[in-house]
Amino acid sequence: MSVRFASILLSIIILSFPAKAEKLVLACNEWKPLVDATQKNQGLFVDILKTAGKRVGYDIEHQILPWNRLVTLTKIGGIDGISCSTFVAEHQSWITYTQQAFWVTEVGLFVRKDSNIKLNQLIDLKKHTFGALKGGSYTKVLQGLIDEDIKLIPYPREINGMKMLIEKRFDILFTGNVLGNYILQTENLDQADTVVYLETLFLEDIHPAISTTRIDATLITERLSKGYKLIKADGTLEALFKKHNLYPTSYNVKLTN
């Protein structure tokens, strides 16, 4: 009887303590205001990621690293993956993407209010000059939407692009709506109120992606996708938007694939 009682007692004790969460190390480059080292929990996107991971048994350590470095670390298994990746078919040889997008970035046109630029047909924009972030991926998207031969004026950082637009050094800035408006609202730029967001032209899904050096990469992505859906279904995702006072640009945009 004493052995049986001890066995039952041990089972109760084991069941009383939840299994320890598995640690994952993911990284993103700084992507203000969604990934920002100066904010609590590194910003809204990281908060969403960690909360979703916790729901399905992952304790996520998040690092903010230069993009080239985090890619290299992911390829060799130095970290478990990238938190904020866009889908690139060729990259599936070294990362596995979640089916669930964790954010959708609306990318579109910022113009000066006095430019009188209207959006009728995209080809009509060819006569204007465009800012192009050095090394940025949106330039090729823009060329695909309008024309390969549009005139591009390079700039080194997003804040420089917004300054150059205000200074009339080019006519149109093609960048994320949330990022562009964040710069206008927080960087104390002279004449920031002379700029307006014209229209969204492109939606960019943002996915966590796990290094294929992990044999369980597919399982991890499936579980993370499930975690996101759970926090969306029960209102936790909405609460995180409120906590950070940052919302998707449009509630008409679905945050799922």
Side-chain angles (χ1 to χ4, degrees):
M1 289 293 291
S2 61
V3 173
R4 183 181 178 188
F5 176 78
S7 177
I8 293 172
L9 181 61
L10 179 61
S11 297
I12 292 172
I13 292 172
I14 292 173
L15 291 173
S16 297
F17 293 91
K20 185 178 180 181
E22 180 182 353
K23 184 176 180 180
L24 287 179
V25 180
L26 303 179
C28 182
N29 59 314
E30 192 162 55
W31 176 34
K32 293 182 178 180
L34 294 167
V35 179
D36 183 350
T38 66
Q39 292 189 31
K40 185 177 180 180
N41 216 8
Q42 297 185 344
L44 172 59
F45 184 82
V46 181
D47 219 352
I48 291 171
L49 176 72
K50 288 184 175 183
T51 305
K54 188 174 181 180
R55 285 293 180 88
V56 289
Y58 291 118
D59 176 17
I60 296 178
E61 175 188 326
H62 193 271
Q63 301 178 3
I64 299 178
L65 301 171
W67 184 257
N68 289 341
R69 183 181 175 194
L70 68 87
V71 166
T72 299
L73 288 172
T74 300
K75 286 181 175 179
I76 65 174
I79 59 176
D80 294 308
I82 302 171
S83 64
C84 56
S85 185
T86 55
F87 179 82
V88 179
E90 293 81 2
H91 292 175
Q92 291 181 99
S93 61
W94 54 275
I95 49 176
T96 299
Y97 296 91
T98 59
Q99 289 186 329
Q100 171 67 54
F102 276 44
W103 189 265
V104 175
T105 299
E106 291 192 45
V107 186
L109 310 174
F110 283 88
V111 299
R112 295 182 304 276
K113 294 177 182 177
D114 64 3
S115 68
N116 295 316
I117 293 174
K118 306 292 183 183
L119 187 59
N120 296 313
Q121 293 184 329
L122 286 176
I123 194 62
D124 294 339
L125 298 177
K126 185 179 178 181
K127 61 187 178 183
H128 297 290
T129 54
F130 296 83
L133 176 66
K134 292 179 181 178
S137 61
Y138 293 157
T139 300
K140 288 190 178 296
V141 173
L142 183 64
Q143 290 173 313
L145 289 169
I146 300 175
D147 191 277
E148 285 284 335
D149 296 326
I150 56 175
K151 186 175 180 181
L152 300 170
I153 310 296
Y155 62 87
R157 297 168 56 230
E158 291 288 2
I159 187 172
N160 300 113
M162 194 61 74
K163 286 180 179 178
M164 290 169 69
L165 175 64
I166 292 170
E167 294 166 359
K168 301 185 178 182
R169 295 168 65 182
F170 52 74
D171 301 322
I172 299 173
L173 178 63
F174 184 65
T175 192
N177 190 340
V178 169
L179 174 59
N181 278 304
Y182 175 77
I183 291 171
L184 291 171
Q185 293 163 13
T186 63
E187 294 294 340
N188 297 316
L189 301 180
D190 289 339
Q191 302 181 59
D193 60 349
T194 65
V195 172
V196 64
Y197 186 74
L198 187 61
E199 189 166 334
T200 296
L201 299 185
F202 173 66
L203 299 178
E204 181 182 50
D205 289 348
I206 307 298
H207 299 256
I210 304 300
S211 171
T212 54
T213 60
R214 290 198 57 138
I215 59 173
D216 57 348
T218 298
L219 175 62
I220 294 172
T221 58
E222 289 174 351
R223 288 172 65 184
L224 288 176
S225 293
K226 179 181 178 182
Y228 180 94
K229 292 173 183 176
L230 288 172
I231 68 170
K232 183 181 181 184
D234 69 5
T236 300
L237 181 62
E238 181 79 18
L240 290 175
F241 295 156
K242 185 176 181 179
K243 171 185 171 183
H244 289 267
N245 193 29
L246 184 62
Y247 295 81
T249 307
S250 170
Y251 277 98
N252 294 323
V253 176
K254 294 182 179 179
L255 293 184
T256 58
N257 290 344

